[in-house]
Amino acid sequence: MSDREFDLLDELYFVQGYTYLKESLGWEDQLLMETLNTLYTQGMIKCLAGPDNERFDQVDIFIEGKDLYYLATKKGLMAHNTL
């Protein structure tokens, strides 16, 4: 796990929107989307349409990412906590 992936997972113990993540981390859109996409494809995070509305279909982070919310999965939390 890269330092950026670790830092992003650190923000996702609770549901967070894209805007919050961008402001909190201070990253450019491209970097944030690439990191979100990497964690999503590894099953480390899940995507939500709203704070209580998990998406179960395949999500394209690069197209929909700015409108979504994110949360670390159990797999992501376990990986984050073992480092």
Side-chain angles (χ1 to χ4, degrees), residues 31-80:
L31 176 60
L32 182 52
M33 287 199 181
E34 287 173 0
T35 309
L36 284 166
N37 191 61
T38 299
L39 291 172
Y40 176 68
T41 57
Q42 293 174 355
M44 302 282 194
I45 64 171
K46 56 184 166 183
C47 300
L48 298 90
D52 296 318
N53 190 10
E54 185 174 348
R55 293 274 306 265
F56 294 101
D57 57 330
Q58 186 65 31
V59 174
D60 187 331
I61 300 284
F62 296 103
I63 294 174
E64 304 174 75
K66 292 182 181 180
D67 299 321
L68 297 174
Y69 291 81
Y70 302 92
L71 179 65
T73 62
K74 182 177 180 180
K75 178 181 177 180
L77 293 174
M78 296 296 285
H80 185 262

Side-chain angles (χ1 to χ4, degrees), residues 4-5 7 9-10 12-13 15 21 23 28 30 34 40 42 46 50 52 79-81:
R4 292 201 188 274
E5 292 167 349
D7 291 344
L9 275 174
D10 205 37
L12 296 177
Y13 275 67
V15 176
L21 294 173
E23 290 174 5
E28 297 294 323
Q30 187 65 28
E34 287 173 0
Y40 176 68
Q42 293 174 355
K46 56 184 166 183
D52 296 318
H80 185 262
N81 286 325

Side-chain angles (χ1 to χ4, degrees), residues 10-22:
D10 205 37
E11 298 292 330
L12 296 177
Y13 275 67
F14 300 98
V15 176
Q16 300 295 348
Y18 183 87
T19 304
Y20 169 84
L21 294 173
K22 184 172 165 85

